[in-house]
Amino acid sequence: MRILVTGGLGYIGSHTCVCLLKNNYEVVIIDNLSNSNIDVLEKIEKITDKKVTFYEGDLCNKELVRKIFKDNKIDEVIHFAGYKAVGESVLQPLKYYRNNLDSTLTLLEVMQEFSCHNLVFSSSATVYGTPKKLPIKEDFPLSTTNPYGTTKLMIERILADVSKANKDFKVIVLRYFNPIGADPSGLIGEDPKGIPNNLMPYIVRVANKELPILSVFGDDYNTHDGTGVRDYIHVVDLAKGHLKALEKCLKSKGIDYYNLGTGTGYSVLDLVNTFEKVNKVEVPYKIVNRRPGDIDACYADPTKAYKELGFKAELGIEDMCRDSYNFIIKNKESHN
Ligand code: NAD
Ligand code: UFG
């Protein structure tokens, strides 16, 4: 089986490519390196001792996408490519609508031209907006609070329409909760450019003394210690979820939606304390005001993915903290 992975050099994409190669899939990647580094390609190949077919370029470039489908018989597609920074999407909405929607439309049109009918799409728990109850199930009402989230929801709707119009077209939509962690080799991981927005990349930089102190955004939420609660999932587990989705896609009809989370919520301070304990480092922090738009708590009901995909996250919060730090330690030269 040959899988086209869009955005395959990014954080989740690279871990998924490793998982695919280890399971004897052939992998073709398209990535424009807008949020990734070409070194990741070599690292994927080093971890797996397998070769990848790589196209550097933009998924909005229809001629290039056609060439990829012409040169390679693609059986299924996993679509990761897109921009993902919530704050930036509020400031530059058109950048997000243009890239995330245009790339998806181009991909879908070319898939149709080449009669490739199997797609796994990276959506997000952000499409649940502010959930009324917890844990979150797939049939909860959908809404968004920022342009990034709106692109995800719009793409979900586009995919539903396309699968309705074309009975052969099968889609698995995966709604990720909060992916953290890294491959245990320490070769690939999450390495955002500039000052990180997300919690774990910020914690590792504070632990590594690249940033002085973590700001904890609010301790007056309705949670066990007042700080925000999220469903953190190890990126290696998340990657495995994509293999399950590919298997399911071949057998399914129409469109299906799955949460990929652990089902357990941890607070900001739970994560900080576990990180300090597991890695024997200090993570100084201060409590500051809430970040606008944040919610108290968000965690998945993972039952549907377990029952229908056979997916269950296996790694715990300790593994996530250990592997996130290991990645930064192994890549210290590029950080200090
Ligand atoms: P990432 O930024 O690390 O990876 C995305 C990759 O896509 C990058 O390598 C980037 O260079 C590439 N890319 C972007 N636009 C492109 C284009 N037009 N053509 C070709 N390549 C392009 O992000 P990630 O964390 O790996 O996320 C992957 C997907 O999962 C994204 O769609 C994201 O919205 C979604 N997601 C991520 C999270 C998260 O917390 N990381 C949570 C929910 C959903
Ligand atoms: N937080 C801090 N300090 C920081 C960063 C975050 O206290 O410096 C807190 C937040 O307030 C929140 C928790 O840590 O309570 C997690 O925040 P993240 O920014 O890591 O993650 P979010 O849950 O806000 O959002 C992430 C992605 C979204 C995605 C969502 C659900 O950024 O794109 O998970 O998948 F939609």
Side-chain angles (χ1 to χ4, degrees), residues 6-187:
T6 78
L9 295 189
Y11 173 47
I12 305 170
S14 57
H15 288 84
T16 303
C17 288
V18 165
C19 193
L20 289 168
L21 291 161
K22 282 185 178 169
N23 285 278
N24 299 319
Y25 285 89
E26 286 179 49
V27 170
V28 178
I29 295 177
I30 175 173
D31 199 304
N32 65 2
L33 306 181
S34 58
N35 197 35
S36 51
N37 196 308
I38 190 64
D39 299 351
V40 172
L41 181 61
E42 237 173 71
K43 291 176 176 169
I44 293 171
E45 294 184 336
K46 190 169 171 195
I47 296 169
T48 59
D49 201 19
K50 299 255 173 79
K51 286 279 165 212
V52 169
T53 306
F54 176 63
Y55 293 82
E56 180 178 341
D58 203 299
L59 192 57
C60 304
N61 176 348
K62 201 173 209 174
E63 279 320 303
L64 174 62
V65 183
R66 280 200 178 111
K67 179 175 163 41
I68 295 173
F69 277 83
K70 222 176 267 166
D71 291 353
N72 307 274
K73 197 202 153 294
I74 303 293
D75 297 298
E76 296 186 87
V77 178
I78 310 181
H79 178 30
F80 292 106
Y83 296 148
K84 62 164 183 177
V86 172
E88 187 185 55
S89 81
V90 175
L91 299 173
Q92 298 182 58
L94 291 177
K95 177 177 171 181
Y96 276 68
Y97 287 115
R98 168 61 68 194
N99 189 48
N100 293 3
L101 297 177
D102 194 352
S103 58
T104 305
L105 294 173
T106 307
L107 173 67
L108 292 173
E109 284 168 355
V110 178
M111 284 180 73
Q112 287 205 333
E113 267 178 46
F114 286 81
S115 300
C116 178
H117 292 135
N118 305 308
L119 178 70
V120 174
F121 172 62
S122 298
S123 190
S124 165
T126 192
V127 299
Y128 295 114
T130 307
K132 291 223 164 47
K133 20 175 222 189
L134 293 166
I136 297 172
K137 289 183 195 289
E138 287 82 354
D139 60 1
F140 275 21
L142 305 178
S143 68
T144 59
T145 54
N146 58 71
Y148 161 69
T150 308
T151 67
K152 291 290 168 196
L153 191 50
M154 288 170 85
I155 294 170
E156 287 199 7
R157 303 259 197 255
I158 292 168
L159 295 174
D161 286 342
V162 174
S163 74
K164 205 164 161 191
N166 178 352
K167 296 292 174 225
D168 294 329
F169 190 68
K170 297 176 290 186
V171 188
I172 304 286
V173 172
L174 299 177
R175 295 178 180 148
Y176 314 148
F177 282 67
N178 289 53
I180 57 172
D183 187 82
S185 66
L187 288 173

Side-chain angles (χ1 to χ4, degrees), residues 250-262:
L250 289 179
K251 295 181 275 182
S252 66
K253 282 198 171 69
I255 185 162
D256 274 310
Y257 307 85
Y258 297 96
N259 288 339
L260 291 188
T262 64

Side-chain angles (χ1 to χ4, degrees), residues 86 124-126 148 176-178 197-199 202 214-217 228 230 232 268 291 294:
V86 172
S124 165
T126 192
Y148 161 69
Y176 314 148
F177 282 67
N178 289 53
N197 297 303
N198 297 115
L199 180 59
Y202 209 105
L214 170 73
S215 295
V216 174
F217 299 142
R230 297 290 182 274
Y232 297 97
V268 175
R291 182 171 65 178
D294 275 355

Side-chain angles (χ1 to χ4, degrees), residues 198-214:
N198 297 115
L199 180 59
M200 183 54 96
Y202 209 105
I203 290 178
V204 291
R205 276 166 179 68
V206 172
N208 199 32
K209 300 195 172 13
E210 293 171 57
L211 291 168
I213 192 161
L214 170 73

